[in-house]
């Protein structure tokens, strides 16, 4: 199964692109959601997160309050690195389990021609890029992204703090072989995605051409 890693900074439209490709027949995998799925009450990873970031990140059932964890884990690069050190190995293992059975570990493969993996923190995930057949970036200028985020209800200070911790546009593009321009909502992004699907032999029904 062809695997596309999809990069993009906050409010770039990465999730929109992933959903668009999912509707075209792809298997969508959101690494943020996959990571949250690791936070099972009573698990070793939850205990390690609590030891590192404070036991008050847990609710009364022992589950992780993700907003509280995020406020501490993304406070600066050092704290983010601590989070990645705890979660990253398990996340890679979970992703491998999700991808490889479709590609090499079962005799009968399901009718899923490609997977699109949303990678929100690529700098900490570079060692897993070998799992991808292609890496793409969804790009929009900073001022456009700021406006989108604020329109969705994000506080300006929160956007600036989170954006400052993310890779530069130049770095994202350097990691990618293709860039989807989402600066303006005028249909060009969708046309580029349709072209990408056609070039890879994926039709709109989600089946690869022979």
């Amino acid at each position: 199964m062809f695997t596309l890693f999809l990069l993009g900074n906050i409010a770039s439209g990465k999730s929109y692109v992933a959903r668009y490709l999912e509707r075209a027949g792809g298997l969508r995998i959101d690494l943020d959601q996959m990571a949250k799925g690791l936070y099972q009450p009573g698990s070793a990873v939850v205990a390690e997160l609590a030891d590192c970031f404070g036991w008050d990140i847990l609710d009364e059932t022992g589950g992780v309050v993700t907003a509280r964890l995020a406020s501490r884990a993304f406070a600066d690069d050092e704290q983010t690195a601590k989070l990645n050190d705890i979660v990253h190995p398990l996340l890679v293992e979970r992703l491998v389990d999700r991808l490889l059975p479709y590609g090499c570990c079962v005799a009968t493969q399901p009718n899923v021609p490609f997977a699109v993996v949303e990678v929100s923190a690529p700098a900490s995930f570079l060692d897993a890029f070998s799992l991808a057949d292609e890496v793409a970036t969804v790009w929009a200028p900073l001022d456009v992204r700021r406006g989108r985020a604020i329109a969705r209800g994000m506080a300006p200070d929160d956007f600036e703090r989170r954006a400052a911790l993310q890779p530069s546009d130049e770095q994202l593009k350097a990691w990618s072989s293709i860039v989807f321009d989402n600066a303006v909502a005028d249909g060009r992004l969708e046309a580029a995605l349709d072209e990408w699907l056609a070039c890879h032999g994926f039709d709109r029904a989600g089946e690869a051409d022979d």
Side-chain angles (χ1 to χ4, degrees):
M1 181 174 60
F2 187 95
T3 298
L4 174 71
F5 275 15
L6 194 62
L7 317 182
N9 283 332
I10 184 171
S12 63
K14 179 174 80 274
S15 293
Y16 173 83
V17 169
R19 289 192 296 269
Y20 189 94
L21 295 176
E22 181 182 33
R23 290 193 297 271
L27 170 67
R28 178 188 174 201
I29 300 173
D30 184 338
L31 288 186
D32 282 347
Q33 292 301 315
M34 185 175 282
K36 291 175 183 177
L38 299 172
Y39 302 161
Q40 298 301 317
S43 67
V45 67
V46 167
E48 193 170 357
L49 288 170
D51 281 338
C52 183
F53 296 104
W55 283 88
D56 60 334
I57 67 168
L58 306 183
D59 60 23
E60 62 276 5
T61 69
V64 174
V65 181
T66 54
R68 194 172 299 162
L69 172 63
S71 69
R72 298 177 188 181
F74 299 120
D76 55 47
D77 290 340
E78 181 180 355
Q79 297 305 310
T80 302
K82 291 179 181 179
L83 175 67
N84 290 332
D85 287 344
I86 295 170
V87 176
H88 177 72
L90 294 173
L91 189 59
V92 172
E93 183 179 330
R94 182 71 61 88
L95 180 61
V96 169
D97 288 344
R98 189 79 187 275
L99 293 174
L100 291 188
Y102 294 101
C104 67
C105 300
V106 293
T108 302
Q109 297 185 25
N111 188 24
V112 181
F114 66 96
V116 53
V117 182
E118 296 180 62
V119 184
S120 297
S124 64
F125 212 68
L126 294 177
D127 61 334
F129 273 34
S130 60
L131 295 172
D133 295 290
E134 189 171 9
V135 180
T137 282
V138 183
W139 175 84
L142 178 63
D143 60 335
V144 171
R145 295 192 288 109
R146 182 186 294 109
R148 290 173 181 167
I150 293 172
R152 293 199 303 242
M154 180 175 287
D157 289 348
D158 190 24
F159 173 84
E160 299 298 342
R161 178 181 59 81
R162 293 179 62 180
L165 296 173
Q166 294 186 313
S168 66
D169 291 340
E170 292 73 19
Q171 185 62 76
L172 288 178
K173 292 175 181 179
W175 288 329
S176 306
S177 59
I178 184 171
V179 175
F180 295 119
D181 190 325
N182 190 28
V184 181
D186 60 358
R188 281 182 287 183
L189 172 63
E190 292 78 6
L193 295 173
D194 288 343
E195 181 180 358
W196 181 89
L197 288 163
C199 287
H200 287 76
F202 306 133
D203 65 24
R204 294 295 300 165
E207 296 181 355
D209 295 335
D210 292 334

